């Protein structure tokens, strides 16, 4: 889906917006009203205006996607093709379920007490949240109006889709820096590294808090020189970076790749040994970061 970026953000192919009659379904839109009877043109118009989105699932999680207990909403659609992706069923926007923004906002309102008690809030994840910037902005604005802490989880590749007004409603960004080496980044994602760096620069300039994330994959991203380059990139964002999270690679998405008929190239890659994880974290600590 190398053209989806232009389809989603500048009009493009209508089929990228539409949910099919049948698909390999995710397990997490329970309690949300599905709008499967919308006319095609109406659905497209509503997605572009931000009142309707393509959603894979939502869940309540604690201390995973930001501080406290969070309602994490997983968007469908992503311009990257990360070799280690554990949600390949979010690659295509058309494979999601159409869900109204107001339905999600009503659910957020129910959990305001939980968010306040735990110091939590909402996290918009994916897929790639910035594939659907109008819909994301509707959710973020509504959450801020309710006094709810907001977070987005993004690769930053589509950072240009997040206007300054959009970022005013974002309290925290989980920014995935997938490699510090351009060649390795292209191998991991199929895309270029520069947009992530540029987005991080914008966040730092605006004073938006960043939790930088790095997925440690033995034999792919684990070279100490690559990790050092990642640390140098994150270092340029200064005090905006509250913490760095080193996320060990796992094989939990293998079944999804197989069910979708996709070529999973990391089938024989083992999760990193604890010693490698700790050595990688130590590289980030040496740059003065709080590391998890």
């Amino acid at each position: 889906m190398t053209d989806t970026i232009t389809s989603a953000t500048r009009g493009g192919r209508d089929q990228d917006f539409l949910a099919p009659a049948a698909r390999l379904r995710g397990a997490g839109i329970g309690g949300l009203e599905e709008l499967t009877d919308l006319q095609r043109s109406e659905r497209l118009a509503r997605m572009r205006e931000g009142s309707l989105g393509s959603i894979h699932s939502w869940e309540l999680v604690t201390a995973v996607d930001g501080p406290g207990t969070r309602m994490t909403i997983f968007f469908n659609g992503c311009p990257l093709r990360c070799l280690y992706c554990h949600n390949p069923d979010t690659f295509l926007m058309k494979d999601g379920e159409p869900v109204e923004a107001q339905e999600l906002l009503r659910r957020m309102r129910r959990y305001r007490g939980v968010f306040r008690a735990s110091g939590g809030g909402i996290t918009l994840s994916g897929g790639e949240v910035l594939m659907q910037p109008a819909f994301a902005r509707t959710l973020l604005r509504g959450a801020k109006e309710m006094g709810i802490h907001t977070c987005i989880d993004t690769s930053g590749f589509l950072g240009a889709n997040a206007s300054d007004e959009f970022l005013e409603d974002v309290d925290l960004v989980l920014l995935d820096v997938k490699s510090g080496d351009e060649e390795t980044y292209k191998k991991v994602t199929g895309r270029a590294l520069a947009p992530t760096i540029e987005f991080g620069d914008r966040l730092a300039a605006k004073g938006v808090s960043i939790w930088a994330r790095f997925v440690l994959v033995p034999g792919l991203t684990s070279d100490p020189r690559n990790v050092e380059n990642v640390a140098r990139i994150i270092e340029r964002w200064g005090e905006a970076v509250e913490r760095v999270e080193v996320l060990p690679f796992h094989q939990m998405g293998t079944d999804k790749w197989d069910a979708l008929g996709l070529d999973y190239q990391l089938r024989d890659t083992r999760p990193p040994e604890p010693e490698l994880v700790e050595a990688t974290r130590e590289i980030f600590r040496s740059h003065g970061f709080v590391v998890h």
Side-chain angles (χ1 to χ4, degrees):
M1 192 184 62
T2 57
D3 294 332
T4 305
I5 175 176
T6 53
S7 303
T9 61
R10 294 191 288 274
R13 300 192 308 266
D14 285 349
Q15 63 263 32
D16 284 333
F17 287 92
L18 299 176
R23 69 177 184 90
L24 189 70
R25 297 176 62 92
I29 59 167
L32 298 179
E33 179 184 359
E34 298 179 32
L35 301 177
T36 56
D37 59 345
L38 283 176
Q39 293 296 317
R40 182 173 184 269
S41 60
E42 179 187 358
R43 183 179 297 172
L44 291 172
R46 292 186 61 188
M47 292 187 78
R48 290 185 176 114
E49 74 182 12
S51 64
L52 185 73
S54 177
I55 298 301
H56 173 273
S57 57
W58 73 274
E59 62 184 13
L60 284 180
V61 295
T62 300
V64 175
D65 297 317
T69 298
R70 311 197 69 80
M71 178 179 176
T72 302
I73 302 166
F74 297 92
F75 286 35
N76 262 75
C78 185
L80 306 185
R81 289 295 176 267
C82 297
L83 297 180
Y84 52 70
C85 181
H86 62 278
N87 284 324
D89 45 347
T90 65
F91 281 166
L92 302 178
M93 197 184 299
K94 66 184 179 64
D95 286 346
E97 296 290 348
V99 176
E100 282 190 324
Q102 289 304 314
E103 178 65 18
L104 287 165
L105 289 169
R106 282 193 291 270
R107 189 159 294 268
M108 291 177 199
R109 186 177 296 276
R110 295 183 199 174
Y111 292 115
R112 282 184 301 174
V114 174
F115 299 150
R116 282 195 297 267
S118 68
I122 67 157
T123 298
L124 306 184
S125 187
E128 171 53 63
V129 59
L130 295 178
M131 284 283 288
Q132 302 181 59
F135 184 62
R137 188 176 181 194
T138 300
L139 298 179
L140 293 167
R141 180 88 291 271
K144 293 305 294 180
E145 289 174 351
M146 289 185 273
I148 297 173
H149 181 274
T150 59
C151 173
I152 64 171
D153 180 3
T154 177
S155 71
F157 182 75
L158 297 181
N161 286 357
S163 66
D164 288 346
E165 293 76 17
F166 180 107
L167 292 176
E168 287 175 1
D169 289 327
V170 178
D171 294 312
L172 173 66
V173 175
L174 309 181
L175 186 54
D176 300 317
V177 185
K178 299 172 187 291
S179 170
D181 171 76
E182 183 70 46
E183 183 177 345
T184 303
Y185 195 96
K186 182 68 178 292
K187 182 177 180 180
V188 170
T189 70
R191 294 289 193 173
L193 170 61
T196 296
I197 299 175
E198 292 166 5
F199 187 55
D201 290 348
R202 278 187 64 208
L203 296 175
K206 291 186 66 65
V208 179
S209 296
I210 299 170
W211 288 11
R213 288 179 153 184
F214 171 71
V215 179
L216 178 62
V217 186
L220 183 63
T221 67
S222 59
D223 189 311
R225 292 170 296 183
N226 183 51
V227 178
E228 183 69 29
N229 287 338
V230 172
R232 290 196 185 106
I233 290 169
I234 297 171
E235 199 170 37
R236 64 190 280 153
W237 302 327
E239 294 181 359
V241 181
E242 295 184 352
R243 63 197 279 182
V244 174
E245 296 183 335
V246 175
L247 308 178
F249 166 76
H250 59 70
Q251 291 282 2
M252 292 172 62
T254 308
D255 290 345
K256 289 185 179 181
W257 283 78
D258 292 342
L260 292 165
L262 299 174
D263 178 22
Y264 184 56
Q265 299 179 29
L266 300 182
R267 193 176 306 274
D268 297 327
T269 301
R270 295 179 58 83
E273 296 294 335
E275 294 79 9
L276 177 58
V277 175
E278 182 57 27
T280 301
R281 288 178 173 148
E282 189 55 40
I283 291 174
F284 288 109
R285 290 192 191 102
S286 72
H287 285 258
F289 298 120
V290 175
V291 182
H292 292 259

